[in-house]
DNA sequence: CTCTTAGTTCAAAATTTACAGAACTAAATT
DNA sequence: AATTTAGTTCTGTAAATTTTGAACTAAGAG
């Protein structure tokens, strides 16, 4: 597999965006590669070769991305290779998971206010305001996703 | 200043959440401390002492947090100390900035599809779908913020 | 004018993380 | 049975990040 300069540039760009979500550079580039490659499914060795990375880095990153539900692979009988692909059709589940994690911070903020001195009512109120908005987001975002689905029909 | 065990635990919890957004441990703990401390404003040295960190780490983290618009400080005449505090009342601006950055990824995805082979229409369509949802989010989230503001009146 | 205070800057140490390389496993092929 | 293939796991190391400590600045106090 040979990549154009433009493809290489996009892989790096996507890679850096993914890094910002907390994944390591190699994993980010793998995601980028799967976005831009002409084939939607790539083998372990294709990935390893075009990205010039070691087998261990490839293996670790692929497994981690599967843990995160970003990837899976398909197989073909009579062929031992795995064909890795982005789980693009399942991105709604990732969105839902992100939405759910919003409550984590809201909960901590409420815990904070419960623990705080009552001598700073304005400050406490500010914190509760943030928590309230987060809860609102958590409740409303699924509806927003639904509404978007409806605009597509 | 003396902190309860509960407060210490909350600082670490908040710290770790902040780390996930890409800040260093010390900066995360400072944010946590300002959330839980009995006084909403703390001096450089109060922060340094309760968190047991060096002056340089304190200085760097405080300046970085100000860059990120998470903190500012107030002063009092006849007192050279700075009293650092969370910019809690300005969190809407941070939210707005986050919303704006959503388009970055949407734009890259459109660039990706423009560059992709046309031989994988279904795959390309999936990518465009994600991009479309991101654009939708970008357009709708400010309205959601407005609606939330209205529920508070 | 010297000393203290509040904070900054810079170099070096410590820690963490990412990655490569080699040895390994398990299945398939010869 | 030996070899090849596809991928994993483990250990060491290079690189990046975070933090410290010490020297420094600038302003106010004595």
């Amino acid at each position: 597999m040979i990549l154009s300069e433009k493809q290489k540039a996009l892989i790096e760009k996507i890679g850096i965006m993914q890094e910002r979500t907390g994944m390591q550079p190699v994993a980010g580039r793998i995601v980028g590669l799967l976005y831009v490659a002409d084939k939607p499914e790539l083998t372990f060795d294709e990935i390893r070769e075009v990205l010039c990375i070691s087998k261990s880095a490839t293996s670790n990153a692929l497994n981690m991305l599967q843990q995160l539900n970003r990837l899976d692979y398909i197989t073909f009988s009579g062929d031992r290779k795995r064909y890795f692909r982005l789980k693009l059709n399942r991105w709604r589940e990732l969105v839902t998971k992100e939405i759910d994690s919003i409550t984590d911070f809201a909960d901590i903020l409420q815990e904070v206010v419960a623990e705080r001195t009552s001598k700073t009512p304005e400050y406490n109120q500010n914190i509760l305001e943030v928590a309230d908005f987060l809860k609102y987001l958590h409740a409303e975002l699924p509806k927003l996703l639904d509404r978007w689905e409806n605009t597509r029909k």
Side-chain angles (χ1 to χ4, degrees), chain A:
Chain A
M1 184 180 20
I2 186 118
L3 296 172
S4 70
E5 289 308 311
K6 178 76 184 177
Q7 282 176 311
K8 288 182 195 168
L10 280 169
I11 289 172
E12 296 305 311
K13 228 174 180 177
I14 295 170
I16 288 169
M17 295 221 90
Q18 300 295 326
E19 276 186 64
R20 283 217 298 259
T21 73
M23 64 179 63
Q24 63 245 46
V26 162
R29 287 197 193 95
I30 290 178
V31 172
L33 172 60
L34 287 167
Y35 266 113
V36 306
D38 288 349
K39 292 180 288 182
E41 294 97 18
L42 299 178
T43 67
F44 188 100
D45 264 325
E46 285 173 323
I47 293 168
R48 220 206 70 244
E49 270 181 34
V50 294
L51 295 182
C52 301
I53 51 180
S54 68
K55 287 174 81 172
S56 49
T58 309
S59 175
N60 286 328
L62 285 173
N63 286 321
M64 187 242 252
L65 287 167
Q66 287 173 84
Q67 285 282 323
L68 292 178
N69 253 291
R70 300 291 307 270
L71 287 189
D72 63 359
Y73 59 82
I74 51 173
T75 51
F76 301 97
S77 62
D79 181 354
R80 266 206 291 161
K81 292 191 193 77
R82 296 171 189 173
Y83 293 80
F84 294 94
R85 59 181 186 186
L86 292 177
K87 284 177 93 170
L88 277 183
N89 47 344
R90 305 262 243 157
W91 61 267
R92 285 165 191 76
E93 291 165 28
L94 294 178
V95 170
T96 303
K97 212 172 128 198
E98 281 303 309
I99 293 174
D100 274 338
S101 73
I102 292 175
T103 34
D104 296 350
F105 194 53
D107 289 343
I108 290 184
L109 289 180
Q110 294 192 326
E111 219 180 313
V112 163
V113 173
E115 198 63 19
R116 279 193 64 78
T117 172
S118 55
K119 293 178 181 165
T120 57
E122 200 186 331
Y123 195 75
N124 299 10
Q125 198 47 50
N126 270 330
I127 297 177
L128 285 178
E129 197 176 273
V130 176
D132 186 64
F133 176 66
L134 291 175
K135 297 249 171 190
Y136 184 79
L137 261 190
H138 181 252
E140 293 297 321
L141 281 175
K143 298 180 196 167
L144 207 59
L145 181 52
D146 287 345
R147 284 211 293 282
W148 175 79
E149 300 276 9
N150 285 329
T151 68
R152 309 276 301 174
K153 279 181 198 151

